[in-house]
Amino acid sequence: MIQPFVYTAQPARVIFGDGTLARVPEEIARLGLRRVLTVSTPPQAGKAAALAARFPDRSAGVLAEAVMHTPVAVTEAAMRVVAERGADGLLALGGGSAIGLSKAIALRTGLPQIAVPTTYAGSEMTPVVGETRDGAKTTRSDPRILPTVVIYDVDLTMSLPPALSGTSGINAIAHAVEALYARDGNPVIALLALEAIGALHRALPRIVADPADRAARTEALYGAWLCGLCLGSVGMALHHKLCHTLGGRFGLPHAETHTAVLPHALAYNAPAIPDVMARLNAALGTGDAPLALYELAGRVGAERSLRALGMPGEEGEEEAGEATGDVIGGTVAAVLANPYWNPRPLEAPALRDLLSRAYRGLPPASS
């Protein structure tokens, strides 16, 4: 039975293919921009400079200061650069960090953005930005945050290391999984989510086996686009709340944290979403979707333990002034203090067990 729903299409222009980076100057001209600031992370500074050199008469230079979790202090410094250079548009080259900084600037200025993703994160398709201040990560949604144009170039992903390809891709899968049971979900997004999950589930092991497999790279980027579209169209639930809390509190790596948490968050919600689980099992070709996602992480060589990713231990240590004797309990308390909507009620003991298993890298608890 189809339930009543509301579907709002996102207005971004998407260009997908091989060699599409060459269309950046054309898109800048089409938007009428004259002073475009290219945003990247420090390691991508050289590539950002080479991209800006393609439109020298319309470039405001490069800002290669983006970092993980979009700290507000970095955004405030970037705002001064935007003003000093008279930028009238933004061009983000990279993954979630570069695109996140561009989006944070756009939120404050209303400047149009062109996003050129080089990973499978999917942030480029969402009107959402997550910002960190004083160890807390909060998300904001606004139409100004959504990039105006997104250019997907398979060529840019061919050098993405297999390990990063795996975690970036599973991070994208997490967006689609939660879209299947979002409070404001709808049939269109559900179809896109299942298509996206299937594409990435097929492609990621092939990329690890042969990083030069262009067909697999293309399928993964296609899946990532759909996952980002899902995330940009409906709300988030427990999985994203957990990852935002862990990232903000402990500075854990973004994609890797999503990879470690996803099987456990899905297992937690499974009893409350039997219809979704049936469709997800079919898309993954399994009878146990949480375990299949845990095993996918293993197949792509991802770390499945939050402890190995840098989450403080459960006894005897101190991290940033916080006694870690009950780090998991403190994390649960932070989640419960400002929860996202979730199909299953949030219960502290069950959440402690979820995080304890993820901390140790154990398989997800059976539903």
Side-chain angles (χ1 to χ4, degrees):
M1 178 179 177
I2 298 176
Q3 301 295 324
F5 66 89
V6 174
Y7 171 62
T8 302
Q10 298 292 351
R13 171 179 169 89
V14 174
I15 299 170
F16 186 101
D18 300 286
T20 52
L21 191 65
R23 297 184 61 173
V24 166
E26 171 190 335
E27 290 300 309
I28 290 173
R30 189 184 66 82
L31 293 173
L33 303 178
R34 299 190 176 278
R35 297 284 296 168
V36 176
L37 181 66
T38 302
V39 178
S40 77
T41 59
Q44 294 268 46
K47 293 181 180 179
L51 178 56
R54 294 179 180 234
F55 49 94
D57 296 338
R58 296 176 184 259
S59 175
V62 171
L63 175 66
E65 301 295 335
V67 295
M68 188 172 59
H69 301 307
T70 318
V72 171
V74 173
T75 300
E76 291 172 345
M79 290 292 294
R80 293 191 286 272
V81 174
V82 169
E84 290 166 1
R85 300 188 189 178
D88 65 354
L90 303 164
L91 171 63
L93 174 70
S97 297
I99 293 169
L101 178 56
S102 175
K103 291 163 80 171
I105 296 169
L107 174 64
R108 292 160 171 80
T109 62
L111 294 180
Q113 306 170 77
I114 299 173
V116 183
T118 58
T119 70
Y120 305 129
S123 172
E124 64 280 353
M125 292 303 302
T126 78
V128 177
V129 64
E131 299 182 287
T132 305
R133 186 197 296 268
D134 299 328
K137 188 169 185 177
T138 58
T139 59
R140 302 175 67 180
S141 181
D142 189 290
R144 293 173 295 175
I145 297 172
L146 182 69
T148 307
V149 178
V150 181
I151 297 178
Y152 289 101
D153 191 335
V154 176
D155 291 344
L156 297 178
T157 68
M158 295 302 296
S159 60
L160 189 65
L164 182 55
S165 298
T167 55
S168 178
I170 296 176
N171 176 24
I173 288 174
H175 306 330
V177 167
E178 287 222 313
L180 288 171
Y181 51 79
R183 176 168 51 179
D184 52 352
N186 61 74
V188 174
I189 294 302
L191 289 171
L192 297 181
L194 291 167
E195 172 76 1
I197 292 164
L200 282 160
H201 186 252
R202 291 188 298 269
L204 295 179
R206 291 166 54 201
I207 290 171
V208 171
D210 179 8
D213 186 336
R214 181 171 289 273
R217 293 283 190 181
T218 301
E219 187 169 28
L221 193 59
Y222 164 73
W225 164 53
L226 293 179
C227 288
L229 187 57
C230 291
L231 180 64
S233 301
V234 297
M236 295 173 281
L238 173 63
H239 168 80
H240 282 85
K241 179 62 181 181
L242 287 168
C243 292
H244 292 164
T245 302
L246 291 164
R249 285 169 68 84
F250 308 121
L252 304 189
H254 182 83
E256 291 85 346
T257 301
H258 279 264
T259 299
V261 169
L262 177 59
H264 303 279
L266 181 60
Y268 181 97
N269 280 327
I273 49 171
D275 292 345
V276 167
M277 295 306 296
R279 299 178 73 184
L280 188 53
N281 284 342
L284 295 173
T286 183
D288 188 339
L291 183 60
L293 292 172
Y294 177 84
E295 291 175 343
L296 175 63
R299 290 170 67 191
V300 301
E303 178 55 65
R304 294 178 286 190
S305 161
L306 292 175
R307 174 170 48 195
L309 296 178
M311 184 174 177
E314 292 188 78
E315 67 239 353
E317 302 172 7
E318 296 222 349
E319 182 77 14
E322 177 186 16
T324 60
D326 193 15
V327 169
I328 288 177
T331 303
V332 170
V335 169
L336 294 176
N338 185 26
Y340 296 174
W341 176 89
N342 196 63
R344 175 183 168 184
L346 301 185
E347 303 160 352
L351 290 176
R352 285 187 66 103
D353 181 65
L354 182 165
L355 282 171
S356 181
R357 297 183 74 85
Y359 176 80
R360 293 169 172 81
L362 301 175
S366 173
S367 60

XYZ file of all heavy atoms in Angstrom, residues 132-200:
500
model
N 31.098 22.298 12.795
C 31.598 21.935 14.119
C 32.093 23.161 14.863
O 32.833 23.977 14.307
C 32.742 20.919 13.998
O 32.300 19.787 13.245
C 33.184 20.440 15.370
N 31.661 23.263 16.106
C 32.141 24.328 16.994
C 32.237 23.753 18.411
O 31.272 23.163 18.912
C 31.180 25.525 16.986
C 31.709 26.725 17.787
C 30.595 27.709 18.121
N 30.002 28.313 16.970
C 30.392 29.466 16.413
N 31.419 30.119 16.935
N 29.763 29.958 15.364
N 33.397 23.920 19.044
C 33.596 23.480 20.430
C 33.226 22.013 20.640
O 32.579 21.648 21.628
C 32.781 24.361 21.387
C 33.189 25.829 21.318
O 34.383 26.087 21.066
O 32.317 26.693 21.523
N 33.604 21.164 19.702
C 33.397 19.734 19.854
C 31.989 19.248 19.571
O 31.698 18.073 19.777
N 31.116 20.128 19.109
C 29.746 19.727 18.783
C 29.482 19.989 17.309
O 29.803 21.064 16.790
C 28.743 20.492 19.638
N 28.903 19.000 16.634
C 28.590 19.142 15.222
C 27.092 19.288 15.057
O 26.305 18.476 15.553
C 29.088 17.920 14.433
C 28.955 18.086 12.918
C 29.700 16.991 12.168
C 29.666 17.240 10.667
N 30.460 16.223 9.936
N 26.682 20.335 14.364
C 25.270 20.589 14.103
C 25.046 20.702 12.607
O 25.946 21.107 11.862
C 24.795 21.877 14.790
O 25.595 22.984 14.323
C 24.923 21.777 16.304
N 23.863 20.333 12.167
C 23.527 20.418 10.747
C 22.527 21.540 10.517
O 21.678 21.828 11.361
C 22.927 19.095 10.237
O 21.753 18.782 10.985
C 23.933 17.969 10.374
N 22.651 22.156 9.370
C 21.735 23.214 8.967
C 21.282 22.937 7.542
O 22.062 22.473 6.706
C 22.412 24.581 9.056
C 22.930 24.917 10.433
C 23.693 26.221 10.454
N 22.838 27.367 10.186
C 23.290 28.621 10.161
N 24.581 28.877 10.372
N 22.472 29.621 9.912
N 20.035 23.249 7.257
C 19.474 23.053 5.922
C 18.911 24.373 5.418
O 18.210 25.080 6.150
C 18.369 21.985 5.950
O 17.833 21.785 4.662
N 19.232 24.686 4.172
C 18.784 25.954 3.598
C 18.949 25.842 2.086
O 19.936 25.273 1.610
C 19.640 27.100 4.150
C 19.108 28.473 3.778
O 19.190 28.842 2.579
O 18.603 29.169 4.672
N 18.025 26.375 1.296
C 18.175 26.298 -0.167
C 19.475 26.910 -0.681
O 19.996 26.487 -1.720
C 16.955 27.075 -0.676
C 15.941 26.963 0.415
C 16.736 26.958 1.687
N 20.021 27.884 0.035
C 21.267 28.518 -0.410
C 22.454 27.566 -0.345
O 23.487 27.813 -0.984
C 21.564 29.746 0.465
C 20.580 30.896 0.311
C 20.852 31.979 1.338
N 20.617 31.491 2.698
C 20.866 32.213 3.797
N 21.389 33.429 3.682
N 20.611 31.714 4.989
N 22.326 26.500 0.436
C 23.442 25.571 0.625
C 23.608 24.641 -0.577
O 24.710 24.147 -0.847
C 23.218 24.758 1.921
C 23.215 25.699 3.136
C 24.265 23.679 2.091
C 22.816 25.023 4.435
N 22.558 24.389 -1.311
C 22.608 23.441 -2.426
C 23.419 24.008 -3.585
O 23.125 25.099 -4.083
C 21.188 23.132 -2.905
C 21.071 22.104 -4.038
C 21.438 20.719 -3.531
C 19.665 22.104 -4.615
N 24.459 23.300 -4.054
C 25.191 23.775 -5.230
C 24.283 23.966 -6.437
O 23.326 23.212 -6.643
C 26.215 22.663 -5.472
C 26.460 22.088 -4.109
C 25.101 22.125 -3.442
N 24.589 24.974 -7.236
C 23.797 25.277 -8.425
C 24.076 24.272 -9.532
O 23.167 23.872 -10.265
C 24.131 26.696 -8.914
O 23.972 27.620 -7.836
C 23.223 27.099 -10.074
N 25.330 23.882 -9.667
C 25.767 22.937 -10.700
C 26.675 21.899 -10.047
O 27.527 22.239 -9.220
C 26.530 23.644 -11.840
C 27.008 22.631 -12.882
C 25.680 24.722 -12.484
N 26.484 20.641 -10.417
C 27.379 19.568 -9.978
C 27.942 18.886 -11.213
O 27.178 18.460 -12.093
C 26.652 18.540 -9.092
C 27.622 17.454 -8.651
C 26.024 19.220 -7.878
N 29.261 18.812 -11.297
C 29.930 18.186 -12.437
C 30.606 16.912 -11.959
O 31.555 16.952 -11.170
C 30.953 19.147 -13.069
C 30.227 20.390 -13.614
C 31.737 18.446 -14.173
C 31.160 21.430 -14.214
N 30.100 15.785 -12.424
C 30.681 14.483 -12.105
C 31.574 14.047 -13.265
O 31.104 13.888 -14.391
C 29.585 13.439 -11.902
C 28.768 13.598 -10.651
C 27.501 14.174 -10.689
C 29.245 13.144 -9.426
C 26.733 14.303 -9.547
C 28.489 13.274 -8.267
C 27.234 13.851 -8.334
O 26.486 13.983 -7.194
N 32.843 13.852 -12.987
C 33.798 13.399 -13.993
C 34.427 12.098 -13.506
O 35.168 12.096 -12.522
C 34.869 14.463 -14.218
C 35.742 14.169 -15.427
O 35.858 12.987 -15.812
O 36.317 15.123 -15.987
N 34.126 11.005 -14.176
C 34.664 9.706 -13.779
C 36.188 9.738 -13.756
O 36.824 9.080 -12.913
C 34.148 8.598 -14.717
C 34.775 7.256 -14.362
C 32.627 8.509 -14.654
N 36.802 10.522 -14.633
C 38.261 10.599 -14.682
C 38.847 11.009 -13.325
O 39.922 10.540 -12.936
C 38.705 11.616 -15.731
C 38.409 11.163 -17.155
O 38.142 9.957 -17.341
O 38.442 12.006 -18.070
N 38.144 11.870 -12.595
C 38.658 12.365 -11.320
C 38.645 11.305 -10.231
O 39.321 11.458 -9.208
C 37.845 13.576 -10.860
C 37.901 14.807 -11.749
C 37.009 15.906 -11.192
C 39.342 15.309 -11.900
N 37.874 10.253 -10.419
C 37.804 9.188 -9.415
C 38.754 8.039 -9.698
O 38.927 7.163 -8.840
C 36.380 8.616 -9.321
O 36.059 7.905 -10.534
C 35.356 9.717 -9.104
N 39.388 8.025 -10.858
C 40.224 6.883 -11.233
C 41.446 6.734 -10.319
O 41.948 5.627 -10.136
C 40.680 7.009 -12.689
C 39.546 6.952 -13.711
S 38.558 5.435 -13.615
C 39.773 4.197 -14.035
N 41.912 7.843 -9.734
C 43.067 7.775 -8.846
C 42.677 7.726 -7.372
O 43.562 7.726 -6.501
C 43.982 8.994 -9.087
O 43.282 10.197 -8.833
N 41.377 7.672 -7.083
C 40.934 7.579 -5.691
C 41.393 6.234 -5.131
O 41.041 5.182 -5.669
C 39.413 7.699 -5.626
C 38.775 7.845 -4.245
C 39.182 9.160 -3.599
C 37.249 7.760 -4.353
N 42.189 6.229 -4.060
C 42.721 4.959 -3.546
C 41.609 3.970 -3.232
O 40.521 4.365 -2.793
C 43.461 5.377 -2.275
C 43.811 6.811 -2.491
C 42.662 7.380 -3.274
N 41.833 2.682 -3.442
C 40.786 1.683 -3.202
C 40.194 1.753 -1.795
O 38.980 1.647 -1.628
C 41.509 0.358 -3.442
C 42.599 0.693 -4.403
C 43.040 2.076 -4.040
N 41.038 1.948 -0.780
C 40.521 1.998 0.592
C 39.576 3.167 0.779
O 38.502 3.028 1.391
C 41.674 2.073 1.581
N 39.952 4.325 0.258
C 39.094 5.498 0.373
C 37.851 5.343 -0.498
O 36.759 5.791 -0.122
C 39.862 6.760 -0.009
C 39.099 8.084 0.098
C 38.514 8.267 1.492
C 40.009 9.254 -0.260
N 37.994 4.697 -1.632
C 36.830 4.426 -2.477
C 35.800 3.604 -1.707
O 34.593 3.872 -1.759
C 37.249 3.662 -3.736
O 38.136 4.418 -4.532
N 36.296 2.586 -0.964
C 35.394 1.723 -0.218
C 34.640 2.455 0.867
O 33.411 2.372 0.964
N 35.353 3.210 1.704
C 34.672 3.904 2.800
C 33.812 5.055 2.291
O 32.714 5.293 2.811
C 35.688 4.434 3.824
O 36.661 5.259 3.164
C 36.394 3.291 4.524
N 34.285 5.748 1.272
C 33.484 6.827 0.695
C 32.191 6.269 0.106
O 31.107 6.854 0.270
C 34.291 7.545 -0.392
O 33.534 8.572 -0.996
N 32.294 5.124 -0.547
C 31.111 4.505 -1.138
C 30.122 3.999 -0.099
O 28.899 4.125 -0.275
N 30.617 3.423 0.998
C 29.706 2.947 2.039
C 29.089 4.128 2.787
O 27.924 4.071 3.203
C 30.427 1.974 2.988
C 30.864 0.732 2.214
C 29.514 1.564 4.145
C 31.681 -0.262 3.012
N 29.835 5.201 2.921
C 29.263 6.438 3.448
C 28.065 6.853 2.598
O 26.998 7.220 3.119
C 30.347 7.526 3.448
C 29.844 8.885 3.884
O 28.856 9.018 4.596
N 30.536 9.919 3.456
N 28.210 6.782 1.284
C 27.095 7.120 0.394
C 25.934 6.152 0.580
O 24.763 6.569 0.626
C 27.580 7.101 -1.057
N 26.227 4.863 0.696
C 25.168 3.874 0.913
C 24.351 4.225 2.145
O 23.126 4.060 2.169
C 25.770 2.462 1.035
C 26.269 1.968 -0.329
C 24.743 1.466 1.592
C 27.007 0.635 -0.280
N 25.022 4.728 3.183
C 24.311 5.095 4.414
C 23.227 6.133 4.147
O 22.151 6.099 4.749
C 25.301 5.623 5.456
N 23.492 7.067 3.227
C 22.482 8.077 2.901
C 21.236 7.413 2.306
O 20.101 7.774 2.645
C 23.043 9.081 1.900
C 24.320 9.718 2.316
N 24.664 9.928 3.634
C 25.361 10.204 1.574
C 25.856 10.523 3.690
N 26.285 10.695 2.463
N 21.467 6.470 1.416
C 20.340 5.812 0.755
C 19.595 4.885 1.701
O 18.359 4.783 1.645
C 20.837 5.044 -0.471
N 20.314 4.192 2.564
C 19.664 3.294 3.526
C 18.703 4.082 4.408
O 17.537 3.704 4.587
C 20.715 2.551 4.373
C 20.058 1.880 5.577
C 21.442 1.507 3.531
N 19.160 5.199 4.961
C 18.272 5.964 5.835
C 17.122 6.609 5.065
O 16.048 6.832 5.629
C 19.066 7.015 6.608
C 19.919 6.414 7.700
C 19.912 7.201 8.993
O 20.073 8.434 8.935
O 19.749 6.571 10.055
N 17.336 6.891 3.789
C 16.245 7.451 2.985
C 15.089 6.469 2.842
O 13.937 6.882 2.661
C 16.768 7.847 1.605
N 15.377 5.166 2.935
C 14.324 4.160 2.786
C 13.318 4.198 3.931
O 12.167 3.776 3.756
C 14.942 2.768 2.697
C 15.683 2.441 1.395
C 16.437 1.129 1.535
C 14.701 2.363 0.231
N 13.739 4.681 5.103
C 12.798 4.727 6.223
C 12.687 6.132 6.814
O 12.285 6.313 7.964
C 13.166 3.715 7.316
C 14.589 3.730 7.806
C 15.035 4.689 8.710
C 15.486 2.747 7.403
C 16.334 4.692 9.187
C 16.791 2.726 7.875
C 17.216 3.704 8.764
O 18.502 3.686 9.228
N 13.034 7.145 6.042
C 12.922 8.524 6.522
C 11.462 8.879 6.798
O 10.547 8.397 6.123
C 13.498 9.486 5.486
N 11.252 9.724 7.764
C 9.898 10.148 8.119
C 9.196 10.810 6.927
O 7.993 10.640 6.734
C 9.940 11.112 9.314
C 8.587 11.677 9.700
C 8.622 12.377 11.047
N 9.700 13.366 11.135
C 9.919 14.120 12.211
N 9.140 13.988 13.282
N 10.903 14.990 12.228
N 9.944 11.567 6.120
C 9.373 12.250 4.970
C 9.730 11.539 3.661
O 9.828 12.165 2.608
C 9.831 13.709 4.932
C 11.355 13.852 5.028
O 12.046 12.841 5.271
O 11.863 14.973 4.861
N 9.934 10.234 3.727
C 10.257 9.459 2.536
C 9.101 9.422 1.546
O 7.961 9.768 1.863
N 9.406 8.990 0.338
C 8.386 8.900 -0.704
C 8.805 7.849 -1.722
O 9.966 7.424 -1.746
C 8.163 10.266 -1.363
C 9.414 10.796 -2.036
O 9.806 10.321 -3.093
N 10.065 11.782 -1.407
N 7.900 7.395 -2.570
C 8.222 6.298 -3.503
C 9.341 6.624 -4.484
O 10.108 5.731 -4.857
C 6.896 6.065 -4.240
C 5.847 6.573 -3.318
C 6.464 7.738 -2.616
N 9.448 7.870 -4.919
C 10.493 8.233 -5.874
C 11.868 8.050 -5.238
O 12.768 7.417 -5.816
C 10.307 9.689 -6.353
C 11.479 10.123 -7.227
C 9.002 9.836 -7.111
N 12.039 8.579 -4.037
C 13.333 8.473 -3.357
C 13.631 7.023 -2.992
O 14.783 6.581 -3.054
C 13.361 9.382 -2.128
C 13.295 10.850 -2.566
C 14.608 9.138 -1.295
C 14.408 11.275 -3.509
N 12.615 6.250 -2.630
C 12.845 4.837 -2.304
C 13.394 4.082 -3.510
O 14.320 3.272 -3.383
C 11.552 4.197 -1.807
N 12.845 4.350 -4.691
C 13.340 3.695 -5.907
C 14.792 4.093 -6.185
O 15.634 3.250 -6.528
C 12.459 4.056 -7.089
C 11.057 3.438 -7.112
C 10.222 4.067 -8.220
C 11.145 1.928 -7.289
N 15.085 5.385 -6.053
C 16.451 5.852 -6.278
C 17.411 5.248 -5.259
O 18.539 4.882 -5.594
C 16.496 7.376 -6.199
C 15.692 8.153 -7.245
C 15.861 9.654 -7.030
C 16.114 7.772 -8.655
N 16.957 5.137 -4.007
C 17.812 4.593 -2.957
C 18.179 3.145 -3.235
O 19.343 2.743 -3.101
C 17.118 4.724 -1.599
N 17.219 2.345 -3.607
C 17.489 0.937 -3.883
C 18.410 0.782 -5.092
O 19.314 -0.058 -5.099
C 16.173 0.194 -4.101
C 15.304 0.053 -2.845
C 13.905 -0.415 -3.221
C 15.941 -0.911 -1.847
N 18.201 1.591 -6.112
C 19.083 1.569 -7.280
C 20.509 1.948 -6.876
O 21.483 1.315 -7.302
C 18.556 2.548 -8.330
C 19.466 2.787 -9.519
C 19.497 1.660 -10.537
O 18.773 0.659 -10.339
O 20.236 1.759 -11.527
N 20.634 2.966 -6.039
C 21.951 3.440 -5.617
C 22.687 2.404 -4.783
O 23.880 2.148 -4.981
C 21.784 4.731 -4.811
N 21.976 1.808 -3.830
C 22.592 0.801 -2.961
C 23.089 -0.379 -3.788
O 24.208 -0.871 -3.605
C 21.588 0.347 -1.891
C 21.308 1.500 -0.917
C 22.099 -0.884 -1.137
C 20.080 1.295 -0.063
N 22.265 -0.843 -4.717
C 22.666 -1.952 -5.567
C 23.891 -1.624 -6.400
O 24.809 -2.446 -6.538
N 23.930 -0.410 -6.975
C 25.061 -0.013 -7.814
C 26.366 0.011 -7.020
O 27.391 -0.527 -7.469
C 24.792 1.360 -8.429
N 26.346 0.601 -5.841
C 27.566 0.683 -5.041
C 27.964 -0.674 -4.475
O 29.158 -1.005 -4.400
C 27.384 1.702 -3.911
C 27.506 3.156 -4.380
C 26.855 4.104 -3.393
C 28.978 3.524 -4.585
